Structure formats: structure tokens, C-alpha cells
Amino acid sequence: MADIFDVVADATRRDILAVLLEREGAVPQSGGEISVSEIVTALGASQPTVSKHLKVLRESGLVAVREEGQHRYYKLDRTPLETLEDWLIPFTSSDAAADAATLAGAGAAAGNEIPLNEEQRAFASAIGKAFAETAHQVTAAVAPKKRR
């Protein structure tokens, strides 16, 4: 399986994911499914090009496919993107990182560093991650959406 970063690095694959995401919102009764020919039309790309990129997306788990006769219907599967998001959150939530660095520095400077066991570190990490994710979601909801 290709690395998720390699998969989403390609502009055509990102465009296909955008078409699938748009389909979810625009036509809810479709269950997010869209045919290959509709993707080809939406992108203005050739059918072989779209099929090649759909294969990579399918192998990476980013899309699910349903076959009906000779037709294939694709829909977005967010699971691999959630993994990517988990990795990105610490890099996109500068406030949380700055707050953590400030608190760590203040505690160490005051000689108040508290030794933590593995379970406590895991708990603190989970809290930090939850805080960073919440801060990211709030920022995304408040910030104006940028369109290409």
C-alpha cells in the first residue's frame, strides 16, 4: 500500500477526493456514491486517467467501490484521512504547541517538573491531543474558508 502522503500528494487524486466530498453534501440521497463517468465529467479528465487514480485511492483505503453490473460507484472513506489528521494536528495547532512549551518551560524553570509514569504520560498526551484537535476544529469553523 502506498504511503498516505504519497497518495494525497497527487493533484488529480485530491481533485477526485474533492468530487467525492462534494457529492456527499450535494446529493445526500446518493449515500455519497458517484459513478466513474460522473467523476470523469466533473474533472474533465480522461476515463483511463481517472480509473488509474481511483485504483490508487482504492488500494490506500480512501475510497470504497460498489460494483453494479459493468458500473462502479465510488464513495469517500475518511478513515485514512483521520489518521493523517491525527498526525497533522500538532503541526497545525500552533497555539496548543506554544502553550505546552510555555507551561513546560515555566515548570522546569521553577523546579516544578513533575515526573510522570507511562500511564500518566499517555493520559496527558491524550488530553493534549484532544485540546489540539478542539482548537483546530474551532479555528477551522471560525476562519473563512479558502477556495481554489
Side-chain angles (χ1 to χ4, degrees):
M1 183 170 96
D3 181 70
I4 188 74
F5 292 101
D6 292 332
V7 174
V8 297
D10 185 274
T12 302
R13 289 193 283 266
R14 289 192 310 269
D15 290 343
I16 291 171
L17 292 173
V19 168
L20 294 169
L21 181 62
E22 183 179 326
R23 179 60 167 225
E24 279 184 358
V27 189
Q29 65 273 23
S30 70
E33 290 186 334
I34 186 170
S35 70
V36 175
S37 61
E38 290 175 289
I39 296 169
V40 167
T41 301
L43 296 180
S46 71
Q47 190 275 329
T49 297
V50 170
S51 291
K52 176 185 86 169
H53 289 292
L54 282 168
K55 179 182 178 192
V56 173
L57 291 168
R58 191 174 59 247
E59 289 173 350
S60 68
L62 284 165
V63 298
V65 63
R66 178 179 62 87
E67 294 182 28
E68 188 175 290
Q70 293 184 343
H71 300 282
R72 293 174 194 248
Y73 296 90
Y74 285 85
K75 71 179 197 174
L76 183 63
D77 183 345
R78 287 185 168 78
T79 306
L81 293 173
E82 291 167 355
T83 303
L84 180 63
E85 180 186 36
D86 290 344
W87 185 85
L88 285 171
I89 286 172
F91 296 96
T92 60
S93 182
S94 60
D95 292 340
D99 289 349
T102 301
L103 289 173
N112 293 333
E113 190 170 335
I114 301 170
L116 301 175
N117 65 33
E118 196 62 36
E119 183 178 271
Q120 291 167 325
R121 268 195 295 279
F123 181 71
S125 176
I127 290 173
K129 182 178 175 182
F131 175 79
E133 184 174 353
T134 302
H136 174 70
Q137 289 172 349
V138 168
T139 301
V142 174
K145 302 286 183 192
K146 294 182 181 178
R147 294 267 178 194
R148 285 194 264 167

